[in-house]
Amino acid sequence: MKKYKLNIEAHNQHGTLERILRVIRHRGFQINSINMNQLNNDTKTMKLKIIVHSNRTITLLHSQLKKIIDISNIQIQN
Amino acid sequence: MNGAAWLIQSLITQGVKKIFGYPGGAIMPIYDALYGSDLEHVLFRHEQGAIMAAIGYARATNSPGVCIATSGPGATNLITGLADALLDSIPIIAITGQVPSDLIGTDAFQEIDTIGLSFACTKHSFLVNSIYELPKIISEAFNIASKERPGPILIDIPKDVQLTKVEKLVPYFSRNQKKIFYSHRELKDAQKLIKKSNKPILYVGGGIGMSKSVLELRKFVNITGIPTVSTLKGLGSITENDPYYLGMLGMHGKKEANLAVQECDLLLAIGVRFDDRVTGKLDTFAPNAKVIHLDIDQAELNKLRKADISLLGNAKELLPKLTNPLNISSWQKKIIYLKEKYKWVYDHTGESIYAPSFLKQISKKMPFDTIITTDVGQHQMWAAQHMHFKYPENFITSSGLGSMGFGLPAAIGAQIARPNSTVICISGDGSFMMNVQELTTIKRKKLPIKIILIDNQRLGMVRQWQELFFKKRYSETHLTDNPDFVILVSSFNIPGMHIKKKSEIDGALNELFDQKGAYFLHVSIDELENVWPLVPPGSSNAEMIEKQSHEKI
């Protein structure tokens, strides 16, 4: 099992957070902790800090998260 | 104009000519706006029929299919179709009515969390909170549905938004999509690797048709002389008379195709995703090969099989840059040898009809640009193995999801999309019953669809697996209580006949192809017939089980 830190910036549209969490679950990763903040009330951007773990390689999750329409930036640290 | 009228207007602006659907309470304003409008609506008898027809329409034209349904049960009936479009990457716009905004979340009548359901089965989805969001959402929806790897988009519109009256709506123009820049370095490396290879195989799939690069592919194959194999969704991409075309690979692929892939030293994978039906036991697939993987979806590169060179890009743009003659004559000779050695022998004896031969006969007799749709199961595999298709858009079959009930509505969608083409739906007695209500749609629109039902009175593919892997414990796969299909279909004013013997085939096919309108051919076959070859689960593609004869019980 390896742990990874995800830093995600996304447009806070209706359902975006749920989409992100669903992809994390569906692609075989479990969430250790999650922190969400709104960057700016006007532009409706949110910043997510999520710590996940899995036996699967993180590139698999990264490439699937990138496909979510409202995500603008993803950074991953081991 | 109210929101519903604006919606119809924007669909027309997007170039939509037909929409498929079924009314209901929460979508009544939209149906009211449709009444007398310039947009043609085709009524189905089940929302699943409507969305599967939209898929057939989209796959026959390589452009988006549009369907509409009401809230609650209307929306839930779309789910199978959405999942099918997601797994096969088909551009679909599904518009659902929703209960009024202030009732959302109160368990109202015919309310379900449609957006919540959409997360797992769509490329993206939208809830239209206000009429002013509509232009942007419509524009984005069509953009996302078709760009890069296509997929289904759901748009959920609450009833009050449909009814909101507004004088003017500001049109929205989507930003130009970012161009995908392929890596010149990777391209050069790929060119070198192809040139160096002694035993290359080109493995193509759905991405060829979807990127509209069939002609570039055929030119590539012609000039390089590279041997080729195809997935289910790729059938029709390579011309059948290409001397080094090995046919479909995988679980029910041709033996020569699987053996060649296991021997090759380079696998050039274009518009494919190394699906488990293709690879068999993944770590045994193409064991001697370096892999060049070309796809538009970065998530597929290195997902299942590590690629020596991954080329993120558009096949239409990159194929010409890879097109150079190759010097592989001894490998080509081996391919010819394999094709000759393992070619299918149609040696069925006896009076009863043998589906592989029967389908091959149809393939030879049908007009060259006929569109074939199938349902799911043994008949589907036989169609893939023994029939020839002019282009990928001429073979429409539920591949990734494998949803029974697909064939009939998909044929309807395809016929509506291409009214001058012959459309044949090949179905099984299990699948046919799942969307049989759509025979009404064929009757209503007077569609000249030819339906061929391969009847073994069984849930055939499952029965075959029970025979091979579950010690012949035939649990719930007997369909011996089917209705009289010819009588059933005749009640929808569609003529037909029932045949059981080889000697009856010629006459029946002549009758079928002579018909100007819809026609139904019920074909009884031996219930114990199996699909060969078969790669058992957990085995390598080299360990195919071959044709076995067995006694009739």
Side-chain angles (χ1 to χ4, degrees):
Chain A
M1 284 287 191
K2 282 189 79 179
K3 258 199 325 199
Y4 306 93
K5 246 196 230 171
L6 311 173
N7 282 311
I8 301 176
E9 243 176 66
H11 300 299
N12 192 1
Q13 299 277 30
H14 180 77
T16 307
L17 179 60
E18 222 174 305
R19 282 182 215 274
I20 295 171
L21 295 179
R22 187 202 76 84
V23 169
I24 293 173
R25 171 187 61 76
H26 181 60
R27 298 292 168 175
F29 288 72
Q30 279 167 284
I31 296 180
N32 292 30
S33 75
I34 170 169
N35 185 284
M36 176 198 155
N37 276 311
Q38 275 200 301
L39 238 194
N40 190 331
N41 269 329
D42 290 326
T43 60
K44 301 197 84 196
T45 311
M46 64 176 167
K47 268 193 103 102
L48 287 164
K49 286 188 180 6
I50 311 182
I51 300 183
V52 298
H53 70 271
S54 177
N55 280 326
R56 299 188 177 186
T57 52
I58 194 64
T59 42
L60 294 176
L61 179 60
H62 189 174
S63 57
Q64 293 297 338
L65 286 172
K66 279 208 299 202
K67 284 164 76 165
I68 299 178
I69 299 291
D70 295 312
I71 286 191
S72 45
N73 200 330
I74 309 178
Q75 267 151 15
I76 303 194
Q77 304 161 261
N78 282 15
Chain B
M1 271 172 54
N2 66 13
W6 279 109
L7 173 72
I8 302 303
Q9 185 78 284
S10 52
L11 290 176
I12 295 174
T13 309
Q14 285 286 345
V16 177
K17 300 275 185 300
K18 319 265 180 190
I19 60 174
F20 305 140
Y22 198 82
I27 198 155
M28 282 180 73
I30 289 175
Y31 271 91
D32 189 68
L34 267 173
Y35 193 73
S37 85
D38 286 331
L39 189 56
E40 188 189 330
H41 175 278
V42 181
L43 181 71
F44 285 76
R45 291 307 189 101
H46 192 293
E47 290 88 352
Q48 186 180 114
I51 189 167
M52 289 183 170
I55 294 174
Y57 185 95
R59 291 180 70 158
T61 57
N62 265 322
S63 66
V66 182
C67 61
I68 67 178
T70 192
S71 64
T76 55
N77 279 343
L78 293 179
I79 300 291
T80 304
L82 292 170
D84 188 283
L86 183 66
L87 281 186
D88 279 350
S89 308
I90 310 299
I92 296 290
I93 308 286
I95 298 168
T96 51
Q98 182 55 279
V99 303
S101 308
D102 52 357
L103 288 182
I104 292 179
T106 65
D107 308 308
F109 179 63
Q110 295 198 324
E111 182 200 355
I112 197 80
D113 178 11
T114 311
I115 291 294
L117 287 169
S118 74
F119 292 146
C121 56
T122 60
K123 187 174 175 186
H124 195 58
S125 55
F126 300 92
L127 174 66
V128 184
N129 285 307
S130 118
I131 183 66
Y132 299 101
E133 291 178 359
L134 191 67
K136 179 172 183 184
I137 287 176
I138 297 293
S139 180
E140 288 287 282
F142 276 84
N143 193 9
I144 300 169
S146 296
K147 81 171 179 193
E148 289 160 24
R149 181 178 190 170
I153 308 293
L154 182 132
I155 305 173
D156 201 26
I157 314 183
K159 197 169 183 180
D160 56 311
V161 174
Q162 297 172 39
L163 289 167
T164 312
K165 282 211 168 64
V166 69
E167 274 284 314
K168 232 176 124 165
L169 275 182
V170 180
Y172 181 92
F173 302 101
S174 282
R175 262 159 305 189
N176 276 332
Q177 20 228 43
K178 327 193 278 272
K179 185 172 152 62
I180 293 193
F181 291 102
Y182 62 86
S183 155
H184 284 267
R185 225 281 295 282
E186 303 279 9
L187 178 65
K188 269 200 144 56
D189 288 345
Q191 287 163 336
K192 277 195 214 130
L193 200 59
I194 296 172
K195 194 160 181 198
K196 255 185 15 181
S197 65
N198 294 312
K199 301 180 177 182
I201 294 266
L202 173 62
Y203 152 47
V204 295
I208 296 294
M210 292 194 284
S211 59
K212 301 187 166 73
S213 49
V214 172
L215 295 180
E216 286 81 355
L217 177 79
R218 290 181 181 178
K219 190 166 179 190
F220 175 83
V221 169
N222 211 342
I223 291 182
T224 58
I226 193 170
T228 50
V229 296
S230 174
T231 68
L232 189 58
K233 272 196 82 205
L235 292 177
S237 302
I238 316 258
T239 45
E240 294 291 339
N241 57 16
D242 182 283
Y244 313 114
Y245 173 50
L246 290 151
M248 186 169 75
L249 81 165
M251 179 178 271
H252 289 296
K254 297 220 165 102
K255 185 164 182 175
E256 57 267 36
N258 284 336
L259 291 181
V261 169
Q262 293 305 93
E263 194 182 331
C264 75
D265 67 357
L266 176 67
L267 192 65
L268 178 53
I270 305 184
V272 294
R273 58 188 177 92
F274 292 85
D275 176 66
D276 59 77
R277 299 292 106 166
V278 160
T279 64
K281 191 160 183 293
L282 188 55
D283 57 12
T284 68
F285 182 65
N288 306 310
K290 284 199 157 38
V291 171
I292 300 174
H293 195 176
L294 196 176
D295 203 274
I296 196 88
D297 182 357
Q298 184 165 48
E300 292 301 331
L301 305 178
N302 297 302
K303 178 179 94 180
L304 290 169
R305 167 71 175 243
K306 187 162 186 327
D308 294 81
I309 298 172
S310 14
L311 265 175
L312 175 64
N314 190 318
K316 196 176 178 74
E317 193 186 355
L318 289 172
L319 272 164
K321 299 188 196 299
L322 295 168
T323 303
N324 291 304
L326 294 176
N327 198 347
I328 44 168
S329 53
S330 55
W331 178 230
Q332 287 170 331
K333 284 201 185 74
K334 177 75 184 274
I335 300 298
I336 302 279
Y337 162 77
L338 285 173
K339 283 180 70 165
E340 191 54 43
K341 179 167 184 189
Y342 295 113
K343 77 173 177 213
W344 192 266
V345 177
Y346 296 89
D347 58 357
H348 186 260
T349 54
E351 275 198 325
S352 63
I353 296 174
Y354 180 54
S357 303
F358 174 65
L359 291 170
K360 190 178 173 72
Q361 236 175 308
I362 295 176
S363 187
K364 286 202 161 115
K365 208 181 167 72
M366 68 194 196
F368 189 37
D369 70 343
T370 298
I371 303 171
I372 302 285
T373 75
T374 76
D375 262 298
V376 174
Q378 293 183 314
H379 70 274
Q380 177 191 34
M381 290 296 102
W382 286 324
Q385 292 173 330
H386 301 280
M387 299 185 81
H388 294 341
F389 314 104
K390 185 180 187 190
Y391 290 122
E393 299 86 67
N394 289 52
F395 184 51
I396 298 174
T397 188
S398 174
S399 312
L401 190 64
S403 10
M404 291 171 65
F406 177 82
L408 193 62
I412 294 172
Q415 184 78 87
I416 290 175
R418 288 157 63 176
N420 297 324
S421 294
T422 305
V423 175
I424 304 179
C425 166
I426 300 171
S427 191
D429 50 306
S431 298
F432 187 67
M433 292 295 277
M434 290 206 175
N435 271 316
V436 67
Q437 78 282 345
E438 300 312 338
L439 289 172
T440 345
T441 314
I442 293 181
K443 174 183 175 191
R444 174 185 274 250
K445 301 300 290 183
K446 300 186 171 48
L447 301 172
I449 296 173
K450 317 293 183 235
I451 304 165
I452 299 179
L453 192 145
I454 312 271
D455 178 12
N456 57 1
Q457 308 215 299
R458 298 289 188 280
L459 187 57
M461 188 58 93
V462 179
R463 185 213 61 76
Q464 178 172 343
W465 278 55
Q466 288 169 333
E467 177 189 325
L468 296 174
F469 309 119
F470 286 85
K471 303 185 179 25
K472 298 188 179 172
R473 291 155 60 83
Y474 297 125
S475 172
E476 303 302 329
T477 49
H478 280 69
L479 303 178
T480 45
D481 50 357
N482 284 326
D484 183 324
F485 287 114
V486 175
I487 291 181
L488 173 63
V489 173
S490 74
S491 73
F492 295 88
N493 292 356
I494 299 171
M497 72 159 83
H498 183 188
I499 59 174
K500 306 182 202 181
K501 294 196 275 206
K502 270 191 190 133
S503 52
E504 299 174 286
I505 292 178
D506 276 335
L509 289 184
N510 285 333
E511 183 72 31
L512 180 129
F513 285 112
D514 274 344
Q515 293 287 321
K516 283 217 153 63
Y519 195 75
F520 175 75
L521 185 55
H522 176 196
V523 184
S524 289
I525 64 165
D526 180 349
E527 56 265 21
L528 292 182
E529 205 57 69
N530 285 331
V531 181
W532 305 117
L534 182 153
V535 178
S539 301
S540 128
N541 280 354
E543 298 166 323
M544 286 159 280
I545 308 179
E546 295 185 79
K547 228 197 291 201
Q548 296 168 357
S549 60
H550 41 245
E551 342 75 278
K552 208 169 183 238
I553 294 172

